[in-house]
Amino acid sequence: MPTSTIEMPATGMPAKEIVPPSVAGAAVVVREAQFSDYDAIAALMQRYGMESYARADWEGLWRGNPVYQRRGGDWSLGWVLESGDGRVVGFSGNIPVACCFGGKELTAAVTSAWVVDADYRSHSMLLASKYFAQKNVDLLLNTTAIHVAGQIFRAFHAKPIPVQGLETALFWVLDYRGFAASFLARKGVPLAVMASYPMSIALAGAAAIKGGGFSGRDLPGVKAVEDFDERFDEIWHLLKARTDVLLSVRDRETLRWHFGRSLKSNGLWIYTLETEGRLTSYAIFQRQDKADVGLTRMRLVDFQSVDANPLILDAMMAAAMRRAKTEGVQMLEVLGFSGAVRSRLEKLAPFRRQLPSQLYYYKALSKELKAQLTNSQAWQPCSYDGDSSL
Amino acid sequence: MTSTPQIPSYEDALPVVYKGLDELNQQRPRNQRLPATPECVLFGDSGNLNSLELSNFIVLIEQLVHEKFGVEVDLTEGDPFSPESGHMRTAGTLAAHISNLVREQA
């Protein structure tokens, strides 16, 4: 046994690996994260301006997770870096997510909430090394990669998802004045509220020229619902019959776990359409504000339909926009999607913004899956995948 | 007809690592450049590459190994950052690892 490994069977804690001192001079330890690390991880995330979950919600990412439950908790929550004086100076979460592809259920390990104290940044590679060393999964997935994380993923032979347009967000402005004020605040413009007036006029003019409204695109039968009922199991049964596309599992149990936090905070809008008494389409919109700059935002995080009629998406977008306007939401945004859905949204979106980097990276562990996932047709990425909307 | 990859010794692999260091050094301030020696620390105690530099360095070295020896290697396999046995500790440990990897694939 290497001298660097300390077994701690008496406490049930995982083995720790001692690594050389960091540039800050303190020895750094990498070990599996525990639920008891919550306070330290939340504090670290807050120091770096990341949204941290309430304890119950954070634990729920695993304890309430159907895959974690099926595995009886035999799963790493993630890994922490500890400094020599026992402080948590880094964390990367590891969330199990079920997917379907080729008629089989696969397990993806989704990396989440990656944060490392500035003095210990080089040790990010230790967290990455632990994450990529996992063997009990089919797929490693990152759907929220910032530039550095993307480079680290590339070094570990992860690949960007081979779908065009993923580095561009599409959006509709619903409150021009409020949106302009938050945009200028984000850019650090003094007196952003005052300065927002001319910008809002320009935005409204641009939107009018480009079009992109969904008014008049209503469809009888589109209904808002409050929760995921048994009809979602029925449509999932139909959706997963398509075996040539990698789909994150969308049964009722998984949807309720995935969106549990948003459902509790009324931050989720679900629109459905039934055909002959059966659920055939749904869209999910999630509130994703940026409070620090006063931005209020809804995102289309999922759209599924067993009917190819493009008017269904239009009608659900129209319904969400109407509600967003009445609730003071400044913008509606879309990340991801592919094929006809993406094309439709691109055609109608008046605005788009370049994301700082490609957000979606994956690494398949088996050669067979690796080969299959090089095909862009195998992907329908959206914000439901990974941790973007957890 | 396929060409047989050249089986490199440690001495053959070391210049590949040095070439990578040279390219890396071109992106760094003069007073922070890394020495082309086997003892040059890449990760750990006195290493001062950040995670972005380490990531780019790994990708670069894999490309250089492919160009020089005609084989594709994955330097992130195993436990590359282990303080005891990780091949990313120094230029020398990395060169030794490359030599072994290419030999295994030859």
Side-chain angles (χ1 to χ4, degrees), chain A residues 98-129:
Chain A
C99 307
C100 281
F101 185 67
K104 295 180 194 161
E105 184 165 312
L106 310 177
T107 300
V110 173
T111 187
S112 180
W114 193 314
V115 56
V116 178
D117 238 344
D119 286 344
Y120 299 87
R121 289 276 157 86
S122 67
H123 291 87
S124 297
M125 300 305 275
L126 285 165
L127 295 174
S129 192

Side-chain angles (χ1 to χ4, degrees), chain B residues 45-104:
Chain B
D45 196 358
S46 52
N48 55 8
L49 294 178
N50 63 37
S51 53
L52 185 58
E53 289 174 312
L54 275 167
S55 299
N56 291 338
F57 184 67
I58 288 169
V59 172
L60 175 61
I61 294 293
E62 287 178 353
Q63 285 172 353
L64 292 172
V65 168
H66 185 246
E67 285 169 19
K68 174 82 176 173
F69 304 118
V71 295
E72 293 192 353
V73 295
D74 182 350
L75 297 177
T76 61
E77 287 278 304
D79 198 358
F81 302 104
S82 161
E84 296 299 317
S85 57
H87 50 265
M88 290 305 295
R89 285 173 296 157
T90 67
T93 57
L94 180 55
H97 184 69
I98 290 167
S99 171
N100 288 335
L101 274 182
V102 177
R103 188 171 296 127
E104 282 168 14

Side-chain angles (χ1 to χ4, degrees), chain A residues 174-229:
Chain A
L174 307 171
D175 166 8
Y176 291 101
R177 190 78 190 272
F179 174 81
S182 65
F183 176 82
L184 294 170
R186 191 175 181 187
K187 297 288 177 191
V189 174
L191 300 172
V193 173
M194 285 175 64
S196 67
Y197 187 61
M199 184 181 169
S200 64
I201 293 172
L203 279 170
I209 292 166
K210 291 178 182 176
F214 285 93
S215 59
R217 294 179 189 269
D218 298 325
L219 204 62
V222 169
K223 287 182 185 163
V225 298
E226 301 287 314
D227 200 354
F228 300 101
D229 56 32

